[in-house]
Amino acid sequence: MKKIFSIFIFALLSCSLFADEGMWLPILIEKYNITDMQKKGFKLTAEDIYSINHASMKDAIVIFGGGCTGEMISNEGLLITNHHCGYGTIQRHSSVEHDYLTDGFWAMSRKEELASPGLTVTFLVSMEDVTDKVLEGVTSDMSDSDRATKILANMSKIKEESVKDTHYQARIESFYNGNQYFLFKNEIFEDVRLVGAPPSAIGKFGGDTDNWMWPRHTGDFSLFRVYCDKDGKPAKYSDDNIPYTPKKFFPISLKGVQEGDFTMVFGYPGTTQEYLPAVAVEQVMNESDPTRIAIRDKKLEVIKAGMEKSKLTRIQYSNKAASIANGWKKWQGEIKGLKRLDAVNVKLNFEEGFQKWANDKPEYKDLLNDYAKVYAEMKPLNLAYIYITEAILGSYAVSFANQMRMLESCKDALPESLQSLKEMTLSKSKGNYKDYDEQVEIRLFAEMTRIYMENMPKKYWPSAYSNIDKVTKSASDKYMAFAEYCFSKSVFANQTKFDNFVNGLSSKSVKTLTTDPIYSIAKEVMDKYKNEIRMALIDCDVRIKKLDRIYMKAQMEYEPQKRFFPDANFTLRVTYGQVTPYKPADGIDYEYFTTLDGIIEKDNPNIYDYKVPARLKELYEKKDYGRYADKDGKMHVAFTATNHTTGGNSGSPVINGNGELIGVNFDRNWEGTMSDIMYDPEMCRNISLDIRYALFLIDKFAGASHLIDEMEIRK
């Protein structure tokens, strides 16, 4: 196995330096990147980024929740991340009486900070290359299943031994599509409290319209505090817990950025697919993305119509709408970018040369043909999966019904077990129906049914669909009539009906679920998925993963001078670049920064996402920016750079050459969203909140100067 790994070492060490593409493991920065970083303006060392011997930048970075990054900005546990990363927590704390989404929230004392059950932050303790240990006993003549079994057994043993007698948790992730493995030891804190968030008119300024776009004027940040027990260890929420003292936190620079400045983004990028074959890129560009976009078009139309009618509905569906819209808009940009780069033909041209090289290499010569076969087989399965997950489960009523299939277990439950089931179900009901409007759900159910029936073969229809004409008779809109019928007959229609059903639950009453239309649709479709689609998709996925592993190794042998970075997999990475403007189209030249001037220009009191708060306008009119203004006298809001980022990098610290915090990463430009598949140095930009704007809002807008006092501010 050492021979395999040597290929990757050689490919990295012998490379020439390229543009700012790549997401690099911090433990390997000393070997592969530090010289290039220092040439571009980084003034520190690799040890300052990652060290196991002393506190380093990696000790100030956290996984925030389940899919974002955050960073420590004081020695009292204060943490900053994006507003959109904290959005779900802010929304859960909000009500009509306390609308923190609209009004913002600022804890003026530790006692006012809001406990957030279920929210965690994860610190990396260490990472280690365990490739040899994971692949120990793996031989080339093993079957795929035996190989997988051996690797899983090895990984389980490694993880268990690595955290024995500690409170740490371990995970092992593969890199280079299964050719290399790293062990990550983590420390997870469970008491995380909301400290501050600007109103959505600042933190989500521009809403879905501005999402993924540049120029950007969003104050996308929120503040939390990490708490621990008196010994500094993770603990469940308790009034006795104290603020956590991190090993490292970031000092904050007030100098701002200039074009050409070095920037480093340090965080947890989610997923990239830079080494896909042409057939896979074609499927993404022409099938998967367009299908998802079309379904989400309709979901957003229905939800936003409901949100416009009611303040309560706007609060209930704000997080759902944001989540749906994020992927919806990203995929549109991805398609546009891939087409502009002619990505499929770029891949095909590469594969033409690769195939000539591979023809006399038995282990590689059939790779591309094998890819073509499995992707052709997967195509209808993939589309079925998308329509089921996006359309069928896109109805929250159906999705909740699917989650409640455990209710059938009460047929054989003992009295004490039945009571426990009732209590657990009622708790889930409270969470589900808190953010639920029956009229919105009826419309959503109708539109998702329409999409599913018009695009999926009848063999995948639930039996209820066969009776739709009979049930709706001569209705002008049979799908809407069908939805109203289903909701009139279903216990899942609203919380009152569902809770009444659960309170009266018995081995006899549970039988009514067999005739409940919403429950029946959820059960039938998901059973079809599990029995006819899921296993076939898994089989395709297993075959693709094997091909990916071999193809990755082959590509690196084919191009030994190229610098290959491992695809993102939500592990801690360093990406670096420079503050740079860009030109998205002929006649358009974008500056690298935006200012508060642009927010005032966009002000529109009639549009929720563009209604600038009066206090912010007052500060603007007085030019009361304090020490946070740029040397040009303006309040800078955001800036662009060439750092290679993706989902998961939301909330990541943007660091200057001195190791100081200058921004918080929150987005990419729309023209560069194809960077998950194909990076373009001319067009790909990450978008970051200027940290001075966040400080200005905390201090001048919110009056929470006590939070500023915690931080180390450098002029």
Side-chain angles (χ1 to χ4, degrees), residues 278-311:
V279 65
V281 176
E282 193 278 334
Q283 185 179 90
V284 169
M285 190 170 73
N286 296 329
E287 296 170 10
S288 299
D289 281 2
T291 302
R292 288 190 172 98
I293 290 166
I295 297 171
R296 293 195 178 196
D297 273 337
K298 186 55 66 174
K299 289 161 78 170
L300 287 169
E301 178 186 316
V302 172
I303 289 173
K304 288 184 176 181
M307 292 172 69
E308 290 174 1
K309 293 179 180 179
S310 161
K311 182 177 181 180

Short mmCIF file of all heavy atoms in Angstrom, two decimals, residues 278-311:
data_model
loop_
_atom_site.label_atom_id
_atom_site.label_comp_id
_atom_site.label_asym_id
_atom_site.label_seq_id
_atom_site.Cartn_x
_atom_site.Cartn_y
_atom_site.Cartn_z
N ALA A 278 -16.54 12.77 -17.79
CA ALA A 278 -17.46 13.59 -18.58
C ALA A 278 -18.89 13.13 -18.46
O ALA A 278 -19.82 13.95 -18.39
CB ALA A 278 -17.02 13.58 -20.05
N VAL A 279 -19.12 11.83 -18.42
CA VAL A 279 -20.49 11.31 -18.38
C VAL A 279 -21.20 11.73 -17.09
O VAL A 279 -22.41 11.99 -17.09
CB VAL A 279 -20.48 9.76 -18.53
CG1 VAL A 279 -19.81 9.08 -17.34
CG2 VAL A 279 -21.90 9.23 -18.70
N ALA A 280 -20.46 11.86 -16.00
CA ALA A 280 -21.04 12.30 -14.73
C ALA A 280 -21.36 13.79 -14.77
O ALA A 280 -22.42 14.23 -14.29
CB ALA A 280 -20.09 11.99 -13.58
N VAL A 281 -20.47 14.59 -15.33
CA VAL A 281 -20.71 16.03 -15.45
C VAL A 281 -21.93 16.29 -16.33
O VAL A 281 -22.77 17.14 -16.03
CB VAL A 281 -19.47 16.75 -16.02
CG1 VAL A 281 -19.75 18.23 -16.22
CG2 VAL A 281 -18.28 16.56 -15.09
N GLU A 282 -22.05 15.53 -17.40
CA GLU A 282 -23.19 15.68 -18.30
C GLU A 282 -24.49 15.38 -17.56
O GLU A 282 -25.49 16.08 -17.75
CB GLU A 282 -23.02 14.75 -19.50
CG GLU A 282 -23.96 15.00 -20.66
CD GLU A 282 -25.34 14.38 -20.50
OE1 GLU A 282 -25.42 13.37 -19.76
OE2 GLU A 282 -26.31 14.89 -21.08
N GLN A 283 -24.50 14.37 -16.71
CA GLN A 283 -25.71 14.03 -15.96
C GLN A 283 -26.09 15.14 -14.99
O GLN A 283 -27.26 15.50 -14.86
CB GLN A 283 -25.52 12.72 -15.20
CG GLN A 283 -26.79 12.24 -14.51
CD GLN A 283 -26.60 10.92 -13.78
OE1 GLN A 283 -26.25 10.89 -12.61
NE2 GLN A 283 -26.82 9.82 -14.48
N VAL A 284 -25.11 15.70 -14.31
CA VAL A 284 -25.38 16.80 -13.39
C VAL A 284 -25.95 18.01 -14.14
O VAL A 284 -26.95 18.60 -13.73
CB VAL A 284 -24.08 17.21 -12.65
CG1 VAL A 284 -24.28 18.53 -11.90
CG2 VAL A 284 -23.65 16.12 -11.68
N MET A 285 -25.31 18.36 -15.25
CA MET A 285 -25.63 19.59 -15.98
C MET A 285 -26.96 19.51 -16.72
O MET A 285 -27.72 20.48 -16.76
CB MET A 285 -24.51 19.90 -16.96
CG MET A 285 -24.59 21.26 -17.61
SD MET A 285 -23.09 21.68 -18.52
CE MET A 285 -23.27 20.61 -19.95
N ASN A 286 -27.28 18.35 -17.26
CA ASN A 286 -28.45 18.24 -18.14
C ASN A 286 -29.63 17.48 -17.53
O ASN A 286 -30.72 17.50 -18.11
CB ASN A 286 -28.05 17.58 -19.46
CG ASN A 286 -27.06 18.42 -20.24
OD1 ASN A 286 -27.08 19.64 -20.17
ND2 ASN A 286 -26.18 17.77 -20.98
N GLU A 287 -29.41 16.81 -16.40
CA GLU A 287 -30.51 16.03 -15.82
C GLU A 287 -30.77 16.38 -14.35
O GLU A 287 -31.83 16.89 -14.01
CB GLU A 287 -30.19 14.53 -15.95
CG GLU A 287 -30.11 14.04 -17.38
CD GLU A 287 -29.55 12.62 -17.50
OE1 GLU A 287 -29.41 11.95 -16.46
OE2 GLU A 287 -29.22 12.21 -18.62
N SER A 288 -29.79 16.12 -13.49
CA SER A 288 -30.02 16.27 -12.05
C SER A 288 -30.34 17.71 -11.65
O SER A 288 -31.37 17.98 -11.02
CB SER A 288 -28.80 15.77 -11.27
OG SER A 288 -28.57 14.41 -11.52
N ASP A 289 -29.46 18.64 -12.00
CA ASP A 289 -29.68 20.03 -11.61
C ASP A 289 -30.98 20.61 -12.19
O ASP A 289 -31.77 21.22 -11.46
CB ASP A 289 -28.49 20.89 -12.02
CG ASP A 289 -27.31 20.76 -11.07
OD1 ASP A 289 -27.41 19.97 -10.11
OD2 ASP A 289 -26.28 21.43 -11.29
N PRO A 290 -31.25 20.45 -13.50
CA PRO A 290 -32.49 21.02 -14.04
C PRO A 290 -33.75 20.44 -13.39
O PRO A 290 -34.73 21.17 -13.19
CB PRO A 290 -32.43 20.65 -15.53
CG PRO A 290 -30.98 20.49 -15.82
CD PRO A 290 -30.40 19.90 -14.58
N THR A 291 -33.74 19.16 -13.06
CA THR A 291 -34.90 18.54 -12.44
C THR A 291 -35.15 19.11 -11.05
O THR A 291 -36.28 19.47 -10.69
CB THR A 291 -34.73 17.02 -12.35
OG1 THR A 291 -34.52 16.49 -13.66
CG2 THR A 291 -35.96 16.35 -11.74
N ARG A 292 -34.10 19.21 -10.27
CA ARG A 292 -34.24 19.77 -8.92
C ARG A 292 -34.70 21.23 -8.98
O ARG A 292 -35.54 21.66 -8.17
CB ARG A 292 -32.91 19.67 -8.18
CG ARG A 292 -32.54 18.25 -7.75
CD ARG A 292 -31.34 18.27 -6.81
NE ARG A 292 -31.09 16.96 -6.23
CZ ARG A 292 -30.20 16.10 -6.69
NH1 ARG A 292 -29.47 16.42 -7.76
NH2 ARG A 292 -30.02 14.93 -6.12
N ILE A 293 -34.14 21.98 -9.90
CA ILE A 293 -34.52 23.39 -10.03
C ILE A 293 -36.01 23.53 -10.33
O ILE A 293 -36.71 24.36 -9.73
CB ILE A 293 -33.67 24.07 -11.13
CG1 ILE A 293 -32.22 24.20 -10.69
CG2 ILE A 293 -34.24 25.45 -11.48
CD1 ILE A 293 -31.27 24.54 -11.83
N ALA A 294 -36.51 22.73 -11.27
CA ALA A 294 -37.92 22.82 -11.66
C ALA A 294 -38.85 22.51 -10.49
O ALA A 294 -39.87 23.18 -10.30
CB ALA A 294 -38.19 21.86 -12.82
N ILE A 295 -38.51 21.50 -9.71
CA ILE A 295 -39.35 21.15 -8.55
C ILE A 295 -39.32 22.26 -7.51
O ILE A 295 -40.36 22.67 -6.97
CB ILE A 295 -38.90 19.81 -7.94
CG1 ILE A 295 -39.05 18.67 -8.95
CG2 ILE A 295 -39.71 19.50 -6.67
CD1 ILE A 295 -38.44 17.36 -8.52
N ARG A 296 -38.14 22.77 -7.24
CA ARG A 296 -38.02 23.81 -6.22
C ARG A 296 -38.62 25.15 -6.67
O ARG A 296 -39.02 25.96 -5.82
CB ARG A 296 -36.55 23.97 -5.80
CG ARG A 296 -36.04 22.74 -5.06
CD ARG A 296 -34.74 23.00 -4.34
NE ARG A 296 -34.30 21.82 -3.60
CZ ARG A 296 -33.38 21.81 -2.65
NH1 ARG A 296 -32.79 22.95 -2.31
NH2 ARG A 296 -33.04 20.70 -2.04
N ASP A 297 -38.66 25.39 -7.96
CA ASP A 297 -39.38 26.56 -8.47
C ASP A 297 -40.78 26.61 -7.89
O ASP A 297 -41.25 27.63 -7.38
CB ASP A 297 -39.48 26.50 -10.00
CG ASP A 297 -38.28 27.12 -10.70
OD1 ASP A 297 -37.59 27.94 -10.09
OD2 ASP A 297 -38.05 26.75 -11.87
N LYS A 298 -41.46 25.49 -8.01
CA LYS A 298 -42.86 25.42 -7.57
C LYS A 298 -42.96 25.45 -6.04
O LYS A 298 -43.87 26.10 -5.49
CB LYS A 298 -43.51 24.16 -8.13
CG LYS A 298 -45.00 24.04 -7.86
CD LYS A 298 -45.79 25.26 -8.35
CE LYS A 298 -45.77 25.38 -9.86
NZ LYS A 298 -46.66 26.50 -10.30
N LYS A 299 -42.07 24.78 -5.36
CA LYS A 299 -42.11 24.79 -3.89
C LYS A 299 -41.95 26.22 -3.36
O LYS A 299 -42.69 26.66 -2.47
CB LYS A 299 -41.00 23.89 -3.34
CG LYS A 299 -41.26 22.41 -3.55
CD LYS A 299 -40.01 21.57 -3.42
CE LYS A 299 -39.60 21.33 -2.00
NZ LYS A 299 -38.51 20.30 -1.92
N LEU A 300 -41.01 26.94 -3.94
CA LEU A 300 -40.78 28.32 -3.49
C LEU A 300 -41.96 29.22 -3.83
O LEU A 300 -42.33 30.11 -3.05
CB LEU A 300 -39.50 28.86 -4.13
CG LEU A 300 -38.20 28.30 -3.57
CD1 LEU A 300 -37.02 28.69 -4.44
CD2 LEU A 300 -37.98 28.77 -2.13
N GLU A 301 -42.55 29.00 -4.98
CA GLU A 301 -43.72 29.80 -5.37
C GLU A 301 -44.85 29.64 -4.35
O GLU A 301 -45.46 30.63 -3.92
CB GLU A 301 -44.20 29.36 -6.75
CG GLU A 301 -45.44 30.07 -7.25
CD GLU A 301 -45.96 29.49 -8.56
OE1 GLU A 301 -45.13 29.22 -9.45
OE2 GLU A 301 -47.19 29.29 -8.67
N VAL A 302 -45.11 28.41 -3.95
CA VAL A 302 -46.18 28.14 -2.99
C VAL A 302 -45.85 28.72 -1.62
O VAL A 302 -46.68 29.40 -0.99
CB VAL A 302 -46.44 26.62 -2.89
CG1 VAL A 302 -47.41 26.32 -1.75
CG2 VAL A 302 -46.97 26.08 -4.21
N ILE A 303 -44.65 28.46 -1.14
CA ILE A 303 -44.27 28.88 0.20
C ILE A 303 -44.22 30.40 0.31
O ILE A 303 -44.71 30.99 1.28
CB ILE A 303 -42.93 28.24 0.60
CG1 ILE A 303 -43.12 26.74 0.84
CG2 ILE A 303 -42.35 28.90 1.85
CD1 ILE A 303 -41.84 25.98 1.08
N LYS A 304 -43.64 31.05 -0.68
CA LYS A 304 -43.52 32.51 -0.62
C LYS A 304 -44.88 33.20 -0.70
O LYS A 304 -45.09 34.24 -0.07
CB LYS A 304 -42.59 33.00 -1.72
CG LYS A 304 -41.13 32.65 -1.45
CD LYS A 304 -40.20 33.22 -2.49
CE LYS A 304 -38.75 32.94 -2.14
NZ LYS A 304 -37.81 33.50 -3.12
N ALA A 305 -45.80 32.61 -1.45
CA ALA A 305 -47.15 33.17 -1.50
C ALA A 305 -47.78 33.12 -0.12
O ALA A 305 -48.46 34.07 0.31
CB ALA A 305 -48.00 32.40 -2.51
N GLY A 306 -47.58 32.04 0.61
CA GLY A 306 -48.10 31.92 1.96
C GLY A 306 -47.42 32.89 2.92
O GLY A 306 -48.07 33.49 3.78
N MET A 307 -46.10 33.06 2.77
CA MET A 307 -45.36 33.94 3.66
C MET A 307 -45.78 35.39 3.50
O MET A 307 -45.72 36.17 4.46
CB MET A 307 -43.85 33.79 3.40
CG MET A 307 -43.28 32.44 3.81
SD MET A 307 -41.55 32.20 3.29
CE MET A 307 -40.71 33.38 4.34
N GLU A 308 -46.20 35.76 2.31
CA GLU A 308 -46.61 37.14 2.06
C GLU A 308 -47.95 37.48 2.71
O GLU A 308 -48.28 38.65 2.92
CB GLU A 308 -46.68 37.40 0.55
CG GLU A 308 -45.31 37.44 -0.12
CD GLU A 308 -45.41 37.54 -1.62
OE1 GLU A 308 -46.56 37.61 -2.14
OE2 GLU A 308 -44.36 37.55 -2.30
N LYS A 309 -48.72 36.47 3.03
CA LYS A 309 -50.06 36.69 3.57
C LYS A 309 -50.10 36.81 5.08
O LYS A 309 -51.07 37.32 5.64
CB LYS A 309 -50.99 35.55 3.13
CG LYS A 309 -51.27 35.52 1.63
CD LYS A 309 -52.18 34.35 1.27
CE LYS A 309 -52.46 34.31 -0.22
NZ LYS A 309 -53.33 33.15 -0.58
N SER A 310 -49.06 36.31 5.75
CA SER A 310 -49.15 36.24 7.21
C SER A 310 -47.76 36.38 7.84
O SER A 310 -46.80 35.74 7.39
CB SER A 310 -49.77 34.90 7.63
OG SER A 310 -49.49 34.58 8.96
N LYS A 311 -47.67 37.20 8.87
CA LYS A 311 -46.40 37.36 9.60
C LYS A 311 -46.01 36.06 10.26
O LYS A 311 -44.83 35.67 10.25
CB LYS A 311 -46.54 38.47 10.64
CG LYS A 311 -45.26 38.74 11.42
CD LYS A 311 -45.42 39.90 12.39
CE LYS A 311 -44.10 40.15 13.13
NZ LYS A 311 -44.22 41.29 14.08
#
